[in-house]
Amino acid sequence: MTHFADFEALRGAVGTEIGVSGWLTVDQDRIDRFADATDDHQWIHVDSEQAARGPFGCTIAHGFLTLSLMVPLVNEATSVGGIRMGINYGFNKVRFITPVPAGGRIRARVILDSVDDIPGGAQAIRTVTIELDGADKPACVAESIVRYLI
């Protein structure tokens, strides 16, 4: 994990890779629970028999599941001290490039694009690449906006 003591230390890292998480396995149970939570039970995610005959040969994680896992992965990869809280503020761009098969392993690679002052804290824009173990292309690339409040 890369820890930044404060905003000034974070600003000094703009333009660099600031952290890489460990690998996380996305198993079928997690996919099924996400389907239940979101009412998205499309067969490509939850029906192993039908998915085996589909375009990927197995069930795949929802793109939004992959995106939501960005939070714990990024939190494992990097942190900022001297703040009261960090808030996900949104995304400028999100792309789902390679499907994550059930049982696939993902990790986050984080590049810090910018840090700007806002009332009560700072706003950072990060490019987060969710890598899929063994794949040539990432599962997801997102330009994430986070607000750090003091």
Side-chain angles (χ1 to χ4, degrees):
M1 171 184 280
T2 305
H3 177 73
F4 297 95
D6 53 31
F7 296 146
E8 288 310 310
L10 186 65
R11 277 191 227 322
V14 169
T16 68
E17 182 176 283
I18 60 170
V20 179
S21 74
W23 292 102
L24 172 71
T25 300
V26 182
D27 61 19
Q28 188 62 51
D29 180 61
R30 184 184 294 266
I31 294 168
D32 291 342
R33 287 183 287 129
F34 188 84
D36 290 341
T38 60
D39 288 332
D40 182 354
H41 294 94
Q42 184 181 20
W43 62 267
I44 196 72
H45 305 302
V46 297
D47 186 335
S48 297
E49 288 181 24
Q50 188 172 357
R53 297 185 303 273
F56 307 110
C58 63
T59 56
I60 60 169
H62 305 70
F64 287 123
L65 171 56
T66 302
L67 185 64
S68 69
L69 290 171
M70 184 178 296
V71 173
L73 292 172
V74 169
N75 287 343
E76 178 187 320
T78 186
S79 68
V80 178
I83 65 170
R84 183 170 38 97
M85 66 172 41
I87 297 173
N88 291 315
Y89 193 67
F91 297 92
N92 288 329
K93 183 178 177 181
V94 176
R95 297 292 180 265
F96 302 111
I97 299 164
T98 302
V100 176
R105 296 184 336 139
I106 60 173
R107 71 177 175 188
R109 186 172 297 277
V110 185
I111 295 173
L112 182 62
D113 300 317
S114 66
V115 177
D116 295 300
D117 290 329
I118 60 168
Q123 177 173 289
I125 298 179
R126 310 165 304 186
T127 298
V128 181
T129 301
I130 303 296
E131 299 175 337
L132 175 60
D133 193 16
D136 293 333
K137 295 181 181 179
C140 177
V141 178
E143 192 174 270
S144 166
I145 307 166
V146 63
R147 288 194 162 184
Y148 298 110
L149 305 178
I150 52 174

